[in-house]
Amino acid sequence: MKLSFRWYGKDDPVKLQEISQIPGMYSIVSAVYDVPPGEVWQEESLAALRADCHAHGLAFEVVESIPVSEDIKLGTEKRQRHLDVYCENIRRCARYGVKCITYNFMPVFDWTRTQLDKAAPDGSTSLVMYRQQLAGLDPLRDDIHLPGWDASYSQQEIRGLFRAYAALGEDGLWKNIAVFLKQVIPVAEACGVRMALHPDDPPYPIFGLPRVVTGEQNIDRYLAIVDSPANALCLCTGSLGCVKSNNIPKLVRKYAAKDRIAFMHMRNVQILDDGSFEERAHLSSCGSLDMYEIVSALVENHFQGYVRPDHGRMIWGETGKPGYGLYDRALGAAYLNGLFEACEKGRKK
């Protein structure tokens, strides 16, 4: 595996020098964050990202993410222009050494939580999703401001998008996914890039918005639309693993054996009785997921893709972007290093 770490560029309070000091760190995961969806990334920005990473002994091989615009997801009259731009951005990323591009097909919002700083008994804070905090809310009636919801949308724009997706429905979303994949995957193949689909987070409908990348059956359907190693997964253990019906070690074994995992997001969650969840420390005993079994499944299938410690808690008085501090993610990276070493040496014996 290739250990990686997400970095938000020069404005990130976590510095590349600090990331480079984490043992075994190989690649930075980043993107061009100042360009809106549907617009071309400047090569100067990609060149600068690569140069900054190389200056600290780190590769720049993973982009997270090239956003899929709402016009592509909804199939508006702007779709083809945005698809052309998307393909050009893949080509430009490949030109600067990128081998894996993460993206998602979630309507409107990349992720949803109800709180970003839930305090644990030990004083650490983390992201949580409590169902009771959503109860009774209606985005067509109420002004809702949830973590993970794009602040660039006005409430009126959000309501318009909700109505558009209600009219589109799940079947319409699947049709637009097929249009996207049939144009994008051949370009990725030609460029030597693997497109890594991130599952819906969380993997169930929010306020009626269609969510389709939620579990094994739908993932199989997605990968079959264009049956290519370039049409791969960013398998996020915390996103898929926050519902009990998803057996994460089983899913990892299945898709790693088929070489359809390009990137792993590794984090632990505690599933609560009502289906809510709390993000926890990476250690297996801290949450509902067996991280050892997940890593074993990867090692058994000779996984050579990218891995990053996903959302961390805020610990030791650190402040910064929720989920993306230095300390707990560095602890997560060290823990994952240990699990991989133990599993790899265990197999050799």
Side-chain angles (χ1 to χ4, degrees):
M1 67 97 176
K2 300 179 182 72
L3 190 63
S4 61
F5 208 85
R6 192 165 189 182
W7 182 62
Y8 285 91
K10 292 184 182 297
D11 293 333
D12 195 325
V14 179
K15 304 305 178 187
L16 285 175
Q17 183 177 3
E18 296 168 331
I19 298 170
S20 71
Q21 294 169 1
I22 301 170
M25 194 54 63
Y26 172 75
S27 180
I28 289 299
V29 178
S30 194
V32 177
Y33 293 108
D34 59 353
V35 177
E39 300 297 330
V40 176
W41 289 7
Q42 297 303 309
E43 294 198 40
E44 293 82 358
S45 299
L46 290 164
L49 266 172
R50 182 176 67 172
D52 287 342
C53 294
H54 288 187
H56 292 86
L58 297 163
F60 172 49
E61 295 183 1
V62 185
V63 158
E64 186 175 344
S65 303
I66 301 181
V68 181
S69 71
E70 301 303 325
D71 292 284
I72 292 174
K73 295 171 189 173
L74 286 166
T76 74
E77 71 282 355
K78 296 180 182 178
R79 172 169 63 186
Q80 190 55 54
R81 183 178 72 81
H82 285 201
L83 282 169
D84 292 341
V85 167
Y86 202 99
C87 291
E88 176 59 22
N89 283 336
I90 293 172
R91 296 185 189 100
R92 292 188 177 199
C93 287
R95 206 170 292 152
Y96 289 90
V98 171
K99 296 178 171 59
C100 177
I101 294 173
T102 307
Y103 70 103
N104 69 73
F105 228 88
M106 283 179 266
V108 191
F109 311 116
D110 282 359
W111 53 276
T112 300
R113 299 291 186 273
T114 56
Q115 192 172 342
L116 299 180
D117 57 355
K118 173 64 177 177
D122 63 7
S124 63
T125 64
S126 67
L127 286 66
V128 299
M129 177 71 169
Y130 291 150
R131 286 180 179 266
Q132 68 268 25
Q133 292 178 335
L134 298 180
L137 295 178
D138 182 351
L140 296 179
R141 181 194 66 212
D142 305 315
D143 287 348
I144 300 174
H145 303 278
L146 288 173
W149 287 30
D150 192 338
S152 65
Y153 291 132
S154 69
Q155 289 294 314
Q156 184 176 357
E157 288 169 331
I158 287 176
R159 290 177 181 129
L161 287 168
F162 268 80
R163 293 187 182 99
Y165 279 106
L168 181 70
E170 190 170 309
D171 288 342
L173 189 61
W174 276 113
K175 289 176 183 176
N176 292 339
I177 286 169
V179 171
F180 173 82
L181 291 176
K182 289 174 182 178
Q183 292 198 40
V184 165
I185 297 303
V187 174
E189 285 179 333
C191 293
V193 168
R194 302 192 77 186
M195 298 300 297
L197 170 72
H198 192 287
D200 295 349
D201 185 9
Y204 45 76
I206 300 292
F207 299 129
L209 286 174
R211 294 286 183 95
V212 298
V213 189
T214 54
E216 184 175 5
Q217 182 178 354
N218 281 5
I219 290 173
D220 286 346
R221 178 178 176 179
Y222 196 103
L223 296 179
I225 292 171
V226 179
D227 189 5
S228 164
N231 183 19
L233 297 174
C234 170
L235 201 155
C236 179
T237 64
S239 296
L240 288 173
C242 69
V243 295
K244 293 181 179 179
S245 57
N246 285 330
N247 183 324
I248 302 304
K250 175 188 173 185
L251 294 178
V252 170
R253 281 190 172 88
K254 174 177 178 173
Y255 296 116
K258 295 174 180 287
D259 190 26
R260 297 303 283 272
I261 302 175
F263 191 17
M264 288 291 303
H265 285 184
M266 305 284 283
R267 60 181 167 91
N268 206 346
V269 293
Q270 181 66 47
I271 305 172
L272 306 181
D273 290 340
D274 68 347
S276 301
F277 63 90
E278 300 172 345
E279 298 190 1
R280 296 286 182 87
H282 288 75
L283 190 71
S284 294
S285 60
C286 291
S288 299
L289 303 183
D290 190 330
M291 304 301 282
Y292 171 81
E293 282 299 322
I294 293 167
V295 171
S296 293
L298 292 168
V299 171
E300 288 167 14
N301 289 284
H302 311 288
F303 177 73
Q304 296 300 314
Y306 300 91
V307 171
R308 74 167 174 84
D310 203 8
H311 303 170
R313 304 164 297 150
M314 286 298 180
I315 62 172
W316 302 340
E318 185 177 21
T319 59
K321 186 177 178 66
Y324 287 98
L326 172 64
Y327 304 145
D328 200 42
R329 285 191 297 158
L331 291 177
Y335 175 58
L336 294 174
N337 272 332
L339 285 179
F340 272 95
E341 181 175 355
C343 291
E344 288 165 355
K345 288 184 176 178
R347 278 190 61 80
K348 290 177 182 178
K349 291 181 180 179

